[in-house]
Amino acid sequence: MRKTKAGMKIRNLMLAGIICCTLPQTGCSIEKITGESPLDSVPGDSREEDDRGQNQGVLNPSPLDQTASDSPDNPQGRALSAPELEQWTEFVNRKENNGFLLCQYKEPQELDPNEVLYNGVGIETPPGPEEREAYEAQGHAIETDVFLLTAENIDNFLERKAGIQLHELKKELDWIYLESWDSYMTQHGDTNFCYFACTEGWQNGENIELRCKAQFTGPQDCTVTLRKTGEEYQFVSNLFAPEDSLPGRIEDQCFPVTLNGFGETEFVSCRPDTENSPLQDVTFELWKEGSKTYTFPGVTENNLRMVDSFGGIEAVSFKDYDFDGYTDVIIICTYEKLSGEQAGGQYREARIYKGGEKEFTYMDQLSFSVNVTQNNQSISQILKQLQTKEVNFTETP
């Protein structure tokens, strides 16, 4: 982790005043998206107008993507509102919490105490003359700011913040241990603080998942998960965004899922590379451990759109709709007409994929039926049509 010079602290604090741009809410109709979204009130569909309105003001969201986060089938849970994201941004940038975003861990035992405790986390005490002498006696001349943490305070802090104690961590604290005082001491004249903006977030039961964007060079964007334990939110995991992630990756439409034949994997949505291929359509892939394992079939020949262009993704749903033991996938996208009387108009298009053993089949006829009847405004609306009559899930592409 690159450390930032102490002289930069004022600059760091100034960034806490970042202003979130409030984007206009774009509603939806079938041919042109101009008014309020005409979502049917159906059982299990939790998307309400008030909830959608609260999503305004998130840092750089796509207006059309806001409704997708509120889908009842979103595996990440309820999307956090803009005011909630502001509160979580303040939370992760507190001195006691910031270090938990500067190291990567899948479980608390993997976190790096050197990053978490670097700035003292508010539990540091000034070392006395005897402690300073003991520190220097181990060959470390004191030349700058010194930090001393007692082992008891470290254990109490880690227990409160992550439900773990120092001896349970896989990584050692590389501070100098002063046995007579059961304390750890170090010195440095810089800080590892990095301001993070929470751009997206979800609540799923007692868990909070936050997508955090680093505002300084060096630290990586990350996805941090916390769990409410009593009156505290404890850090559960923090995963860095891959440095070689796809440039066209649509972050708020990428989800961790467990699929038959694929196991635990990541569903990745990729916007088209229109600079190199102006007619290219959106693509959907599965990734695992940094490698692509599967690409979903396109809905057009060579995945090219001749009369319209991709706009955005409104919803992604994972569920075994035909009860055959394999997870199926329903996706709702928006497109813009490029020519004719409706040029510039936007419309929705649903695509249904039938799950199988390490493959997915695009259900052309079933998708066409949903789109031609315009029952494609929400996942719940699509499900209503699928459940009103016997559906043929055995069609061949």
Side-chain angles (χ1 to χ4, degrees):
M1 174 64 60
R2 183 183 67 87
K3 306 297 186 259
T4 306
K5 294 301 179 183
M8 298 296 290
K9 291 181 180 178
I10 296 177
R11 175 175 175 267
N12 295 351
L13 293 174
M14 292 176 62
L15 285 176
I18 276 182
I19 300 175
C20 300
C21 298
T22 302
L23 298 180
Q25 182 70 23
T26 305
C28 305
S29 66
I30 294 173
E31 288 299 330
K32 184 171 290 189
I33 301 177
T34 55
E36 290 295 323
S37 174
L39 299 177
D40 292 344
S41 178
V42 296
D45 192 344
S46 61
R47 292 187 287 179
E48 300 293 341
E49 292 182 4
D50 291 342
D51 291 336
R52 291 198 306 273
Q54 292 177 358
N55 286 335
Q56 297 185 20
V58 182
L59 295 176
N60 300 323
S62 166
L64 291 174
D65 290 342
Q66 292 173 2
T67 56
S69 299
D70 293 331
S71 167
D73 294 290
N74 192 323
Q76 292 171 296
R78 179 186 69 84
L80 300 181
S81 65
E84 289 174 311
L85 290 173
E86 291 177 1
Q87 293 176 350
W88 282 110
T89 294
E90 187 275 331
F91 176 87
V92 300
N93 287 297
R94 294 176 188 171
K95 181 178 181 180
E96 62 184 33
N97 297 326
N98 191 255
F100 287 95
L101 276 65
L102 299 176
C103 53
Q104 180 167 243
Y105 48 96
K106 294 182 179 179
E107 57 182 1
Q109 289 83 353
E110 297 178 352
L111 63 81
D112 186 349
N114 299 292
E115 293 291 354
V116 172
L117 302 174
Y118 193 86
N119 291 323
V121 297
I123 63 172
E124 67 273 20
T125 58
E130 294 182 349
E131 293 156 325
R132 295 170 69 95
E133 182 179 346
Y135 177 81
E136 291 187 316
Q138 298 192 38
H140 303 280
I142 296 178
E143 299 176 343
T144 183
D145 299 334
V146 289
F147 297 80
L148 184 142
L149 305 179
T150 67
E152 181 181 7
N153 284 346
I154 292 175
D155 281 341
N156 290 340
F157 172 79
L158 293 176
E159 185 72 43
R160 179 167 62 91
K161 287 295 182 180
I164 199 171
Q165 294 189 349
L166 185 62
H167 71 273
E168 299 176 82
L169 298 179
K170 297 179 180 179
K171 295 182 179 180
E172 295 184 357
L173 181 62
D174 59 12
W175 295 22
I176 300 302
Y177 179 63
L178 305 179
E179 184 175 4
S180 298
W181 294 269
D182 194 20
S183 299
Y184 294 86
M185 187 169 169
T186 191
Q187 62 173 320
H188 54 77
D190 57 6
T191 176
N192 70 344
F193 175 84
C194 173
Y195 187 88
F196 286 88
C198 296
T199 58
E200 297 175 279
W202 298 267
Q203 179 180 6
N204 193 340
E206 297 296 316
N207 288 353
I208 296 290
E209 179 180 317
L210 302 170
R211 295 269 177 85
C212 301
K213 186 171 183 60
Q215 302 299 300
F216 304 154
T217 58
Q220 292 179 243
D221 300 345
C222 59
T223 299
V224 61
T225 301
L226 302 101
R227 179 178 298 123
K228 189 174 184 181
T229 305
E231 297 301 319
E232 292 280 348
Y233 276 96
Q234 294 186 338
F235 290 88
V236 176
S237 65
N238 186 53
L239 302 178
F240 292 150
E243 294 180 348
D244 58 346
S245 59
L246 298 172
R249 180 183 169 107
I250 307 175
E251 291 293 345
D252 62 345
Q253 298 300 331
C254 298
F255 310 107
V257 293
T258 300
L259 300 173
N260 306 75
F262 294 95
E264 294 183 359
T265 186
E266 183 182 22
F267 177 89
V268 176
S269 303
C270 303
R271 63 175 52 86
D273 181 11
T274 53
E275 290 187 6
N276 296 316
S277 180
L279 302 179
Q280 186 178 346
D281 196 6
V282 62
T283 57
F284 300 97
E285 301 169 345
L286 297 179
W287 284 67
K288 188 170 186 177
E289 298 179 351
S291 299
K292 181 171 63 177
T293 58
Y294 183 78
T295 301
F296 284 74
V299 301
T300 59
E301 186 176 359
N302 297 322
N303 203 42
L304 300 177
R305 312 284 300 203
M306 300 299 179
V307 296
D308 48 25
S309 63
F310 172 74
I313 301 172
E314 287 204 302
V316 179
S317 177
F318 308 91
K319 192 173 182 179
D320 181 9
Y321 298 113
D322 57 347
F323 307 103
D324 65 349
Y326 293 98
T327 301
D328 308 306
V329 181
I330 291 180
I331 304 170
I332 302 176
C333 297
T334 59
Y335 291 90
E336 179 180 339
K337 290 287 186 181
L338 297 178
S339 59
E341 295 181 357
Q342 297 180 346
Q346 297 184 7
Y347 68 97
R348 291 179 174 84
E349 179 182 283
R351 54 178 76 185
I352 302 173
Y353 291 100
K354 174 180 169 60
E357 187 66 27
K358 291 191 176 182
E359 68 174 357
F360 286 87
T361 301
Y362 172 61
M363 306 298 285
D364 188 17
Q365 299 174 29
L366 194 57
S367 300
F368 175 79
S369 174
V370 167
N371 290 321
V372 76
T373 57
Q374 299 179 341
N375 288 323
N376 56 6
Q377 303 300 294
S378 69
I379 295 295
S380 298
Q381 194 175 46
I382 294 173
L383 290 179
K384 286 180 64 177
Q385 174 160 331
L386 298 183
Q387 295 165 358
T388 55
K389 61 181 179 179
E390 183 177 352
V391 176
N392 176 20
F393 275 97
T394 60
E395 66 179 74
T396 57

